[in-house]
Amino acid sequence: MKSEATRTVGPECVGISESGHGRSRMSGRSVITSRQTSGTVQCTNGRSMTDIEDHVDNAVNRVTIPPVSPGGPQSQAAREICRGVVRVLSAHGLTAISELPLPNGRRADVMGLAADGALWIVEIKSCIEDFRADHKWHEYRDYSDRLFFAVDPDFPREILPEDAGLIVADRYGGEILRAAPEVRLPAPKRKAMTLRLARAAASRLAVQLDPTLPAAVGLGIGDV
């Protein structure tokens, strides 16, 4: 049994109407007419609608969508420390996200959220040069209740500030060697940071489910 169906090319779909076994999407953009036969939808231009989802649904000027990373440090050494840090935080009851953009334009290497709403930031240092080049690490205090440095087991720990927590980690796990002083965030800032973390985590998960999502609806999402 055959039926006619139309599908909109572009993001401005404003309505859907049913006609037989086909569907018509209406918008200001052009419309593709397709024919459905035995469960397979064939477009009149010769393309199968089941084969063009990435082209139709990416929606913004039909651009190619690059692969999306779930976040994380770029260097291999930092990635291995990051993996261990996430395991450490999990063992202490925190869920974690890496590379979270902060309101001041910087990025937290890892941010953890505890069941009681506490926010931890962990700054990863993979080498001495990485630490010495960072003169603004103290700015992370403005967005967390506790601030830690995380290094690998061979890092010279004596050069790290003693007023921050210390985590030693490798790719298999790690340990908190020094607890971080707690300075609780004001309630409005805590809410804003919790929402930021939640939206970033949800955005990354959504993109894993649908890699075309950033071009379709994610233009307002700053962290994908």
Side-chain angles (χ1 to χ4, degrees):
M1 180 177 180
K2 299 181 178 180
S3 63
E4 295 292 332
T6 57
R7 181 169 181 174
T8 304
V9 179
E12 301 174 8
C13 179
V14 296
I16 301 175
S17 64
E18 299 290 340
S19 177
H21 296 284
R23 296 192 303 172
S24 176
R25 292 174 179 259
M26 298 167 289
S27 75
R29 297 293 185 88
S30 60
V31 176
I32 294 176
T33 301
S34 61
R35 185 179 302 275
Q36 185 172 353
T37 305
S38 301
T40 301
V41 180
Q42 296 292 333
C43 298
T44 55
N45 62 1
R47 295 180 296 177
S48 169
M49 290 181 68
T50 59
D51 294 331
I52 63 171
E53 289 185 0
D54 287 348
H55 301 285
V56 173
D57 293 339
N58 69 24
V60 177
N61 297 326
R62 302 174 66 81
V63 296
T64 300
I65 305 303
V68 177
S69 168
Q74 298 302 310
S75 75
Q76 181 64 29
R79 282 197 300 270
E80 293 188 353
I81 297 173
C82 181
R83 174 175 165 169
V85 165
V86 171
R87 291 188 172 194
V88 170
L89 296 188
S90 179
H92 284 79
L94 290 86
T95 56
I97 185 172
S98 60
E99 292 292 310
L100 179 68
L102 300 176
N104 62 359
R106 296 175 66 81
R107 282 179 176 255
D109 289 338
V110 180
M111 175 166 273
L113 175 65
D116 65 355
L119 294 167
W120 295 10
I121 285 181
V122 182
E123 177 68 1
I124 294 172
K125 296 303 176 189
S126 58
C127 61
I128 296 176
E129 291 74 16
D130 185 18
F131 171 71
R132 289 177 174 168
D134 186 359
H135 302 293
K136 297 183 179 180
W137 60 266
H138 57 277
E139 295 180 6
Y140 294 120
R141 296 189 190 278
D142 295 335
Y143 304 103
S144 64
D145 300 307
R146 297 181 187 268
L147 175 63
F148 293 80
F149 282 100
V151 297
D152 67 26
D154 297 325
F155 191 95
R157 304 167 207 165
E158 63 274 6
I159 71 173
L160 297 172
E162 293 188 359
D163 59 344
L166 174 60
I167 298 174
V168 172
D170 58 21
R171 71 189 316 269
Y172 302 106
E175 184 179 356
I176 297 178
L177 297 189
R178 183 172 61 238
E182 183 179 49
V183 181
R184 302 285 290 183
L185 291 174
K189 182 173 284 189
R190 178 182 309 285
K191 178 180 178 181
M193 289 305 302
T194 302
L195 287 174
R196 177 177 288 262
L197 186 152
R199 284 178 55 80
S203 298
R204 293 179 186 179
L205 178 59
V207 170
Q208 296 304 308
L209 297 172
D210 178 7
T212 69
L213 186 61
V217 297
L219 294 182
I221 299 173
D223 182 49
V224 290

